Amino acid sequence: MGVSDADWMRQALAQARIAADLEEVPVGAVLVDAAGEVIAVGHNQPISAHDPSAHAEIITLRAAARRLGNYRLPDTTLYVTLEPCTMCVGALVHARVGRLVYGTTEPKTGAIESAQQLFETGKFNHRPVIEGGVLAEECAALLSRFFENRRAAKR
């Protein structure tokens, strides 16, 4: 029996917890190839890297491209704990990621189903297979706790 989407999402959640420990918004990602091998992992780090593009997805795609020596990443699945934003959707398209699996939605900046539905425009030359809601409650709870703790610290 192979590794399930939930199992991979748990690995992405582990990455998100690393981000939270670093006081970054807890988002994590894991990129897996068709054989079920992890190519790269990443977590949010725009604050610590002083880089507004250092989202978990971008960090992971960059690491995978360097490892494989190719910016195209077909036949891969990206697991990410939070619905990707516009920037990250663009990176998924350019990298030709075959499948996207995300945890919880992002009402303010989500570009798959929430704030925008970018793939519904029909304007992209690539569209990954998309599945949302994998371990959504766990992913949302991690984010909620993080922001509750941040608000409490400001009081």
Side-chain angles (χ1 to χ4, degrees):
M1 185 168 151
V3 180
S4 71
D5 286 344
D7 293 329
W8 291 121
M9 190 61 72
R10 285 185 190 91
Q11 289 192 34
L13 276 162
Q15 288 295 311
R17 287 184 195 95
I18 293 170
D21 290 344
L22 298 171
E23 298 184 12
E24 299 274 3
V25 174
V27 179
V30 175
L31 187 73
V32 179
D33 68 15
E37 297 293 323
V38 173
I39 301 170
V41 300
H43 56 272
N44 264 9
Q45 43 191 297
I47 297 166
S48 58
H50 308 290
D51 179 356
S53 69
H55 290 194
E57 300 95 324
I58 302 296
I59 297 296
T60 303
L61 294 176
R62 283 178 180 159
R66 279 191 302 272
R67 178 174 175 195
L68 299 178
N70 191 345
Y71 75 106
R72 300 283 197 212
L73 303 168
D75 303 318
T76 60
T77 299
L78 181 69
Y79 294 88
V80 62
T81 57
L82 184 65
E83 178 184 2
C85 69
T86 301
M87 174 183 67
C88 293
V89 165
L92 290 166
V93 169
H94 289 292
R96 304 296 193 268
V97 169
R99 184 167 177 248
L100 166 68
V101 179
Y102 62 91
T104 193
T105 56
E106 189 359 310
K108 293 181 181 177
T109 63
I112 304 294
E113 68 173 284
S114 297
Q116 300 178 75
Q117 299 84 38
L118 291 181
F119 286 113
E120 302 309 314
T121 67
K123 302 288 184 184
F124 292 111
N125 60 350
H126 173 75
R127 179 190 172 116
V129 173
I130 300 169
E131 181 173 350
V134 175
L135 298 184
E137 290 177 16
E138 288 179 48
C139 295
L142 180 60
L143 285 156
S144 293
R145 279 192 308 274
F146 175 81
F147 286 111
E148 286 169 10
N149 291 340
R150 221 160 132 175
R151 284 189 295 273
K154 287 184 179 180
R155 290 184 198 134

